[in-house]
Amino acid sequence: MAEEKLHGAIEAMKSSGVRITPQRHAILEHLIQSMAHPTADEIYKSLEGKFPNMSVATVYNNLRVFKEIGLVKELTYGDSSSRFDCVTTDHYHIICDDCGKIVDFHYPGLDEVETLAEQVTGFQVGDHRMEIYGSCPDCQKNKH
Amino acid sequence: MAEEKLHGAIEAMKSSGVRITPQRHAILEHLIQSMAHPTADEIYKSLEGKFPNMSVATVYNNLRVFKEIGLVKELTYGDSSSRFDCVTTDHYHIICDDCGKIVDFHYPGLDEVETLAEQVTGFQVGDHRMEIYGSCPDCQKNKH
DNA sequence: ACACTATTTATAAACATTACAATGTAAGAA
DNA sequence: TTCTTACATTGTAATGTTTATAAATAGTGT
Ligand SMILES: [Mn+2]
Ligand SMILES: [Mn+2]
Ligand SMILES: [Zn+2]
Ligand SMILES: [Zn+2]
């Protein structure tokens, strides 16, 4: 499944006129295989064995390119680094306050909320963001 | 109304053993009077007439103190500075993609979403965050 | 293989925020 | 009121993430 996704992503790059470089391929591969919503620096570190000379700027540059093509979504947080997610379907996230783990959470889009917000505020609504915070099963055990 | 709120906030500080300094008073006053969810730097700049020697670190320090007492909530954003909100009642925000304006949006808490997330993920949920993005009435006009 | 241009690399810079140490001061005690 | 002292402020340096820049490199169509 990851194979096909990678292949599809490469096709998307080709049809957008974006060159396929070894670094791009590796970053994309890492993103698709990772379930963990990695940071730019985590990607950078995980590839330094394969690409000892790769610059961290390359990771950031390519994540921006992937975002522009729509292959990747950036999850921003105030305190710490952004995390990156291969978009397949729309989904929300639940985040552990204790260890920072991010888990996908599928739930129908909050369309009524958007509609009401439009009526009440006069904004023309385009998007929304929702995240749930709590304690993951592992961290619950380690607490008592 | 702002008067009473400020007074209540000062009482909360007293009972938490937090000293009332002129800088603290002014920062709190600015936060309570502002509808605009200011950044630390905006607060700093707005007070430089009154306190020409105030350090920006003082603003950050005190915003942290206010957060710890529960007088203020921090709204974090990936790209840019945090914004600060005097908490009265729970509410959401709608944010203009074009000019950055933040408007309060009152809506019942998404309790069913939290409950379902708990069941599905095994997390113990404590909180959630939701924001709506779009184009504010002013920016809609300026577009045409 | 060549040419053209996008991409990578290395490094410096930008920016928000925090850490630190020295100085100043709020608030309770005497 | 004055004294005391722990807490607060200030100025500056440091941190961490992300972006900008320019020179070197390499992908792609011909
Ligand atoms: Mn995800
Ligand atoms: Mn608000
Ligand atoms: Zn956890
Ligand atoms: Zn606007």
Side-chain angles (χ1 to χ4, degrees), chain B residues 96 98-99 136 139:
Chain B
C96 180
D98 301 314
C99 70
C136 77
C139 288

Side-chain angles (χ1 to χ4, degrees), chain B residues 19-22 40 57 60 74 81-82:
Chain B
R19 290 184 185 166
I20 288 122
T21 66
Y60 280 102
E74 183 176 1
S81 327
S82 287

